[in-house]
């Protein structure tokens, strides 16, 4: 008998193992299929829905401009400045103040790059045009000490349903009012409808 066991072919052993695996899989599939139609399964779906509701209370979603929209906004602002013969830099930041796009116009000064980014950051941070924020400095002069901000005209927020989703900053024109006019042209190009 011992000799006979040793002579069991590899083919027989693989075949027997395959049949055992198939039987085990069929039993597992049957158990899973059977449990899918039981009332307990419906309770699991309700628990999942309740879990989602709890997660929704503990999280929130924000909207952001896409790279394409940010690029369109920057191009629209740069075009408005060019039409006025102004050499500016345009920056677009997302809701979190991260830079999405920057276009430095031909001949724009080297300081305009950082200024445009900081104006965009300031506008989105307070969801207000930077020209309005300049007025707040009279009552709260320490606002200007917040890192990354610049309280000069030329930054505007882009909002959706009242919440800021981006900021556009323009720098390089002879006045903050002109910079802001161009930033508004950029915002108008991507304003949610």
């Amino acid at each position: 008998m011992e000799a006979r066991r040793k002579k069991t072919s590899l083919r027989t052993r693989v075949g027997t193992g395959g049949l055992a695996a198939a039987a085990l899989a069929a039993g597992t599939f049957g158990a899973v299929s059977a449990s899918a139609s039981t009332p307990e399964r419906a309770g699991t779906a309700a628990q999942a829905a309740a879990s989602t509701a709890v997660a929704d209370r503990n999280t929130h979603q924000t909207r952001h401009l896409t790279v394409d929209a940010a690029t369109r906004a920057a191009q629209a602002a740069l075009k408005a400045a060019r039409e006025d013969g102004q050499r500016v830099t345009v920056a677009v930041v997302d809701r979190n103040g991260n830079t999405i796009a920057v276009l430095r116009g031909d001949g724009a000064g080297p300081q305009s790059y950082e200024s445009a980014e900081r104006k965009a950051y300031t506008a989105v941070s307070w969801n207000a045009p930077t020209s309005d924020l300049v007025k707040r400095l009279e009552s709260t002069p320490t606002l200007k000490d917040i890192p990354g901000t610049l309280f000069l005209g030329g930054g505007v927020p882009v909002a959706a349903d009242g919440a800021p989703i981006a900021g556009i900053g323009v720098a390089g024109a002879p006045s903050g009012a002109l910079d802001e006019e161009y930033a508004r042209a950029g915002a108008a190009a991507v304003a949610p409808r």
Side-chain angles (χ1 to χ4, degrees):
M1 182 110 154
E2 189 106 5
R4 203 166 150 181
R5 274 192 197 158
K6 289 182 182 176
K7 290 187 177 185
T8 305
S9 72
L10 177 60
R11 185 182 310 182
T12 303
R13 285 183 285 175
V14 169
T16 304
L19 286 173
L24 181 59
T28 302
F29 177 76
V32 170
S33 295
S35 70
S37 61
T38 62
E40 293 84 20
R41 188 73 171 150
T44 303
Q47 289 170 341
S51 176
T52 300
V54 169
D56 289 346
R57 285 193 306 261
N58 294 323
T59 63
H60 69 92
Q61 294 180 337
T62 58
R63 295 167 71 180
H64 297 266
L65 284 184
T66 64
V67 170
D68 290 340
T71 303
R72 279 195 321 272
Q75 289 171 334
L78 192 59
K79 180 181 178 197
R82 256 194 230 130
E83 288 173 354
D84 277 354
Q86 299 301 320
R87 298 173 180 166
V88 301
T89 297
V90 181
V92 181
V93 301
D94 68 11
R95 172 61 186 109
N96 300 320
N98 300 309
T99 303
I100 305 170
V102 177
L103 293 178
R104 183 176 174 270
D106 297 334
Q111 79 288 357
S112 65
Y113 191 96
E114 183 178 349
S115 296
E117 284 186 316
R118 291 175 62 192
K119 288 178 183 184
Y121 176 83
T122 305
V124 76
S125 295
W126 277 274
N127 194 24
T130 54
S131 61
D132 291 351
L133 296 171
V134 169
K135 297 169 191 166
R136 292 187 194 178
L137 289 177
E138 294 170 9
S139 62
T140 316
T142 56
L143 281 179
K144 69 181 179 340
D145 298 333
I146 296 172
T149 59
L150 186 59
F151 291 87
L152 296 174
V156 298
V158 177
D161 299 325
I165 60 172
I168 301 174
V170 177
S175 73
L178 280 175
D179 285 339
E180 195 162 306
E181 178 183 324
Y182 307 140
R184 288 184 189 285
V190 294
R193 294 182 173 98

